[in-house]
Amino acid sequence: MWGDSRASAASVDRLVILRQREWTREELLVDDFRYYEAIKRLTMAHISQEAKTIPINLETLVAEVGDMICYDPGESLRPTLTDYEHWPVRSDLFAKNYRSWEEHGWQPTTPQKHLLEMGCRPYYKAVGIWAKRLRKSLYVESLESTAPILIPAGHWLCIGAHGEPYSMNDKNFRSRYHVPPDTFRDRLFWAAIALRYDDSKENTAKAYG
């Protein structure tokens, strides 16, 4: 089920695929989405001067000329710009969601200095997100995706400012948004989901190894 996250062209018409659409607050709440405030954390970014594809965890995203490329500086200096975790954000969405980092007395870390030298500037995501953690896998096509992808249970399904869907794993989501602690029952449930996902990946590797 989770062996290949990409949908084949022949199967796309038969799939239920979540794509960008208009959502009302009531629709989001009925569908178990909740609003999560953003944690103020520094993101480095610059304007893309060329069209490019950017592979991330589950999919490959497309950045057009003029889109913003965002970088997580992390804690370690990386050899090149592309060695930092990075992702594209459409310019209009970036303008709506991000603000300049203007912390008084900010002293850039070594990775942040490196990204500054490479032409990036500091920002932070100022806007929260509607999201829910998936209890079942779901095909999603984000604005920057090249094709629908299967988002596994346990990942977070997010709905952006223009109704655009995208996903994030649990660790990344909790590092970016204020999430209440899980109950003991929830922790057991998500642990079982993670074990099922790991078993699926191992069986797929054996089948194609």
Side-chain angles (χ1 to χ4, degrees):
M1 185 177 184
W2 288 318
D4 187 348
S5 62
R6 296 167 297 179
S8 67
S11 65
V12 165
D13 290 340
R14 301 194 302 270
L15 299 175
V16 176
I17 302 170
L18 181 63
R19 295 185 172 95
Q20 181 186 23
R21 72 173 183 87
E22 295 293 329
W23 292 80
T24 65
R25 184 178 186 276
E26 290 70 26
E27 286 175 328
L28 289 163
L29 290 171
V30 167
D31 207 11
D32 293 328
F33 287 91
R34 296 295 180 265
Y35 188 78
Y36 297 91
E37 296 287 351
I39 295 172
K40 189 173 183 179
R41 63 195 299 271
L42 185 140
T43 296
M44 306 296 290
H46 71 79
I47 300 174
S48 180
Q49 301 298 319
E50 59 181 357
K52 63 180 73 176
T53 56
I54 301 175
I56 60 172
N57 291 334
L58 295 174
E59 58 185 318
T60 297
L61 303 180
V62 176
E64 303 292 347
V65 174
D67 286 350
M68 299 297 291
I69 309 298
C70 299
Y71 297 85
D72 181 355
E75 299 179 359
S76 301
L77 182 67
R78 305 298 176 90
T80 68
L81 195 61
T82 55
D83 288 317
Y84 293 94
E85 180 185 354
H86 60 291
W87 62 95
V89 178
R90 217 170 66 182
S91 58
D92 58 332
L93 297 179
F94 188 89
K96 186 164 187 170
N97 288 287
Y98 287 80
R99 302 290 182 270
S100 294
W101 183 269
E102 297 176 347
E103 289 289 311
H104 178 70
W106 173 55
Q107 296 293 324
T109 63
T110 299
Q112 291 166 4
K113 288 179 181 177
H114 184 213
L115 289 166
L116 285 169
E117 292 168 358
M118 299 294 288
C120 294
R121 292 294 177 263
Y123 299 90
Y124 70 97
K125 192 169 188 290
V127 179
I129 197 76
W130 286 91
K132 68 176 178 180
R133 198 169 180 189
L134 291 176
R135 292 177 175 264
K136 295 182 179 179
S137 57
L138 176 70
Y139 276 99
V140 171
E141 187 170 359
S142 67
L143 288 180
E144 298 88 1
S145 294
T146 57
I149 60 163
L150 183 63
I151 307 302
H155 279 57
W156 288 81
L157 173 62
C158 307
I159 303 296
H162 291 182
E164 69 280 6
Y166 60 96
S167 69
M168 204 176 296
N169 65 40
D170 185 55
K171 180 180 178 181
N172 285 345
F173 188 84
R174 291 177 187 273
S175 73
R176 289 167 168 80
Y177 299 97
H178 293 283
V179 183
D182 285 337
T183 64
F184 178 70
R185 178 175 292 182
D186 283 340
R187 290 198 298 272
L188 290 177
F189 176 84
W190 295 121
I193 287 292
L195 181 61
R196 181 183 171 194
Y197 181 43
D198 289 342
D199 287 345
S200 175
K201 289 195 296 183
E202 182 178 349
N203 291 337
T204 299
K206 289 179 180 178
Y208 290 94

